[in-house]
Amino acid sequence: MIIWVTGANGFIGRHLVRELAGAGHAVHGVGHGALDAAEAGRLGLLTWINGEIDAANLNALAAHGRPTQIFHLAGGSSVGVSIEHPFEDFSRTVTSTARLLEWLRGSAPDCALIAASSAAVYGADHVGPIPEIAVPTPMSPYGQHKLMMEQLCQSYARTFGLSCTIVRLFSVYGPNLRKQLLWDICSRLKAQSEALHLGGTGGEIRDWTDVRDVARLMTGFTATSPEHAFRIVNGGSGRGTSVADIADGLVRHWGSNTVVHYSGVGRPGDPASLLADDNRLRHSGFDWRIPLDRGLADYVAWFKGQARG
Amino acid sequence: MIIWVTGANGFIGRHLVRELAGAGHAVHGVGHGALDAAEAGRLGLLTWINGEIDAANLNALAAHGRPTQIFHLAGGSSVGVSIEHPFEDFSRTVTSTARLLEWLRGSAPDCALIAASSAAVYGADHVGPIPEIAVPTPMSPYGQHKLMMEQLCQSYARTFGLSCTIVRLFSVYGPNLRKQLLWDICSRLKAQSEALHLGGTGGEIRDWTDVRDVARLMTGFTATSPEHAFRIVNGGSGRGTSVADIADGLVRHWGSNTVVHYSGVGRPGDPASLLADDNRLRHSGFDWRIPLDRGLADYVAWFKGQARG
């Protein structure tokens, strides 16, 4: 099958391409990042275009054949950047999706689109597992733009019948993630701090998922039914884990005695809990395979390895 | 006061500029339409830039002084066009707003933005007067993009404190409107059809407002309070009138004996009722002055006059 991945050079994109290429698909990608042909080939990409998601680049990819599926992972990837540069985040997330949908409408209306969204669309007002039908109240431009991306997909599905699946990803971690909580903690453990000071209370609940499971999860989505061209699925496990438990697990796997302290002051707009209601996903038959403790051990092992490499 | 109007050359824009200039404000505009300086001056515009809402054009307007208020009327203006050319509608409505907000954030963060949205954000699932807090379920790309425009404003208000007022306009009609129901009916009466055949049942309810009232309504919105930087107000009258009553009124004012027939088949996605809950607007002290019957009479008079002119 011919499959395209936008944002294929990103953290999740690279894992997803490896999964798809490993399953024998012809994978082509577009997004940002200077990869030469050899690097792209090692990732599993037959073609790589370093540039915007626009008609010219999509037509260039189509010279290698029309896609059956597109995994759309391109877009803003940081709440912080979205606050510093909101128009950039808007362009990367919303405008790129508008261009992709318009190209699909005209050039590949039967192609199934699977787009990665974020639990950030839910915002801070939720307690316990959040079902897909919860009213979204995003707190940041990042979450707002992801919601707008979803709405554009819904609009093209409703009006033009495009098949669109939205997967709202939660706290994805794993090998090669060079930012966010796990990266910060490991970086400080490596600097051999005796004490580790983190913001927040440590009691913030997140739904942590290993990127290798997430890549397998994404590949499981095929075209929607014609009657329901649009669907949203939480890509979370339904297991909530506190920041303190993540920190303790990393310290343990690191083999350190570092004591972790919390400021007790949350970051503005940082939700107390983001936990998936995983009913829809479970009904699809998907099973999470990497327990958190093994995921954390693997992350520490990867971190120590890449630090040596 | 220095006031800018985007989309100042549109149907509502022209009436609004006249109202603002008449009140003694210095009004500058940007949007589409080839107006020479004399024409722009006759409309009440000190400056007119024919082009996109982008940083270059906004900076050029700012050479005449920073605005205290911006009335943002630029954007898609037709459900039909939004279905034929969804990306164009997206660009005109959403991207232009993103550029405007980004410019305001950097160059005029104290300026009050008043943006014209549409009852189309509500969609077809409502019965009776619709309050602003109703969950929006737009049916068309046009309504979807208007909703996304609102969300961008809300995001910039929440994250950056920009003052944004959204006015959801309902069925605005009046002199110079050269499309939609009233224009179609008058055009056919002019062609002296003995019978007039309209789609739908004639029982569709809309909240009809005269553009001269709407222009006055818009000018009444000033900056929001700092505590509530974002607000949404229905710009409707709370009076529902059926399409059949509009048609009968036009026929009567025309002085015709034409009989109006209805197909009985609604257009897909055409809501049975779009009627404003006008509680918020009434609390602001605004009063509608032009009764529907006078508005229809004026429209017919204008139509016959322009047809001669």
Side-chain angles (χ1 to χ4, degrees), chain A residues 189-204:
Chain A
L189 289 172
K190 187 184 163 206
Q192 295 179 319
S193 316
E194 282 175 20
L196 210 153
H197 294 271
L198 297 178
T201 65
E204 298 86 358

Side-chain angles (χ1 to χ4, degrees), chain B residues 3-303:
Chain B
I3 297 179
W4 295 359
V5 178
T6 74
N9 189 41
F11 165 56
I12 299 171
R14 284 175 165 235
H15 283 276
L16 177 61
V17 168
R18 186 174 307 127
E19 185 85 18
L20 291 166
H25 298 297
V27 189
H28 306 266
V30 56
H32 290 293
L35 301 174
D36 64 27
E39 281 174 293
R42 273 196 298 277
L43 286 181
L45 288 166
L46 296 180
T47 320
W48 170 248
I49 294 179
N50 176 15
E52 298 296 326
I53 320 295
D54 60 23
N57 286 333
L58 297 171
N59 285 334
L61 280 188
H64 304 281
R66 308 258 146 184
T68 303
Q69 284 184 311
I70 297 180
F71 291 92
H72 180 43
L73 275 58
S77 60
S78 154
V79 170
V81 171
S82 82
I83 294 171
E84 272 186 75
H85 304 290
F87 187 78
E88 179 186 319
D89 192 84
F90 168 82
S91 300
R92 293 180 63 184
T93 298
V94 186
T95 308
S96 72
T97 302
R99 290 209 187 96
L100 178 60
L101 289 164
E102 185 68 359
W103 186 87
L104 282 169
R105 183 174 79 92
S107 301
D110 297 328
C111 175
L113 183 68
I114 297 101
S117 184
S118 164
V121 303
Y122 290 122
D125 300 336
H126 305 276
V127 176
I130 310 172
E132 290 86 348
I133 55 164
V135 175
T137 53
M139 302 294 291
S140 62
Y142 172 81
Q144 186 68 63
H145 298 155
K146 288 288 189 190
L147 180 60
M148 292 168 68
M149 179 201 77
E150 294 185 2
Q151 294 174 343
L152 271 178
C153 290
Q154 185 171 22
S155 181
Y156 271 75
R158 183 175 49 222
T159 306
F160 307 111
L162 293 189
S163 167
C164 296
T165 301
I166 303 293
V167 187
R168 288 182 179 156
L169 299 175
F170 282 68
S171 296
V172 185
Y173 72 94
N176 295 316
L177 183 59
R178 291 184 167 79
K179 60 180 183 179
Q180 298 169 1
L181 185 69
L182 277 71
W183 175 260
D184 289 345
I185 292 176
C186 287
S187 299
R188 299 217 241 155
L189 289 171
K190 188 185 162 207
Q192 296 180 316
S193 315
E194 282 176 21
L196 211 153
H197 295 271
L198 296 177
T201 65
E204 298 84 359
I205 297 295
R206 294 291 183 274
D207 188 326
W208 300 92
T209 54
D210 191 288
V211 67
R212 296 163 292 179
D213 268 342
V214 168
R216 192 168 47 81
L217 162 71
M218 297 293 287
T219 64
F221 290 106
T222 52
T224 56
S225 67
E227 307 84 56
H228 300 97
F230 179 77
R231 68 179 159 195
I232 298 177
V233 182
N234 276 339
S237 71
R239 281 179 326 209
T241 305
S242 70
V243 166
D245 282 346
I246 294 289
D248 290 349
L250 290 172
V251 167
R252 184 164 30 86
H253 289 296
W254 194 277
S256 155
N257 295 317
T258 300
V259 179
V260 187
H261 301 280
Y262 297 90
S263 71
V265 181
R267 285 182 300 180
D270 202 27
S273 174
L274 276 179
L275 174 60
D277 177 323
D278 66 337
N279 264 304
R280 285 195 192 170
L281 186 58
R282 271 193 285 117
H283 277 108
S284 78
F286 180 77
D287 61 314
W288 298 92
R289 292 185 190 157
I290 304 175
L292 183 63
D293 198 57
R294 197 185 113 208
L296 294 182
D298 288 355
Y299 189 83
V300 167
W302 164 78
F303 188 96

Side-chain angles (χ1 to χ4, degrees), chain A residues 83 138 144 151 156 158 160, chain B residues 83 86 138 144 151 158 160:
Chain A
I83 294 171
Q144 186 68 62
Q151 293 174 341
Y156 271 74
R158 183 177 46 224
F160 306 112
Chain B
I83 294 171
Q144 186 68 63
Q151 294 174 343
R158 183 175 49 222
F160 307 111

